[in-house]
Amino acid sequence: MTDPLRRSPTAPGPAPDLVAVAHGTADAAGITVLHDLVRQMASQRPDLPISLGFVDLLTPALPSLVRRITTDAAEAVVVPLLLSSGYHVYVDVAAEARRYPGRVHAAAALGPDPVLVEILADRLGDLSDVDQVVLAAAGSSDPRALTDCEITATLLSRRIDRPVHVGYISGSGDRLPAVIARTGGRLAIATYLLAPGFFNTLVHRHAGPHRVTPPLAPDPRLATLALRRYDAARAEAGACLWDGAGSIVGV
């Protein structure tokens, strides 16, 4: 019988469950969008067990969902449906991996990533009447999340050949109304949120007369990106346990 700790990452066996985790929202349209995104993921990988949990407001809460899944599944990968890595990634998701060492693995957040930049550019569309863009992001008290958003803005600026400034709805970064007020010329607001909800309402409220793009989800490219995060976390977990010679490494 093969020792599971010495299994190659490409060895046959059931794939770990994918536990998608998102911000909760009280907005019915936002809840629908999140479920639509997970359905897109399931349609791309119909053989993969996929569940959706939340880090706030909605149930199932992430800890209870992971606890239930680990009673039946040998392994699981938690994939944050989050656009940057802040508190929820470094605390909530990481806590589940620590609670079930070797069985629950934490994937990276969706952003920053060129896929997100392409979706943002598509949402912006024709920019012939736009001089500058403000990227409207949720914000965070974690500077690593702000850095992720700034990287996205830099990538988007290169993609659309226009200046892109980040304005945050909450947290410690420059607030969206102030960024809009000091940014001259003809503006468009690129919504850097996953789904409709309270923050999306605030973006529209602060935008005034400027054009505002819709949130990023649902989009099949997002589903593909989330699955890529799952695959990367699974491969990394396997590499930490297998060095090709049957030795445990990286742990």
Side-chain angles (χ1 to χ4, degrees), residues 139-151:
S140 174
S141 59
D142 191 317
R144 293 169 291 189
L146 304 187
T147 298
D148 285 350
C149 292
E150 297 292 341
I151 291 171

Side-chain angles (χ1 to χ4, degrees), residues 14 85 100 111 119 132 141 169 174:
S85 296
Y100 305 94
I119 297 173
Q132 302 194 72
S141 59
I169 303 162
D174 290 345

Side-chain angles (χ1 to χ4, degrees), residues 132-243:
Q132 302 194 72
V133 169
V134 173
L135 185 70
S140 174
S141 59
D142 191 317
R144 293 169 291 189
L146 304 187
T147 298
D148 285 350
C149 292
E150 297 292 341
I151 291 171
T152 298
T154 299
L155 294 174
L156 180 59
S157 178
R158 293 172 184 167
R159 171 65 175 78
I160 64 176
D161 194 28
R162 281 164 177 75
V164 177
H165 314 274
V166 185
Y168 298 99
I169 303 162
S170 67
S172 57
D174 290 345
R175 292 304 176 94
L176 179 61
V179 173
I180 292 174
R182 69 172 183 248
T183 303
R186 300 169 299 175
L187 301 184
I189 313 299
T191 302
Y192 196 47
L193 301 170
L194 201 63
F198 179 62
F199 278 8
N200 187 54
T201 299
L202 289 180
V203 170
H204 282 269
R205 184 178 303 166
H206 296 318
H210 305 298
R211 174 159 60 94
V212 180
T213 66
L216 302 186
D219 188 293
R221 292 170 291 183
L222 277 175
T224 302
L225 176 60
L227 291 167
R228 181 152 56 85
R229 293 288 188 260
Y230 165 86
D231 290 334
R234 185 182 177 192
E236 182 178 352
C240 286
L241 296 174
W242 178 264
D243 67 354

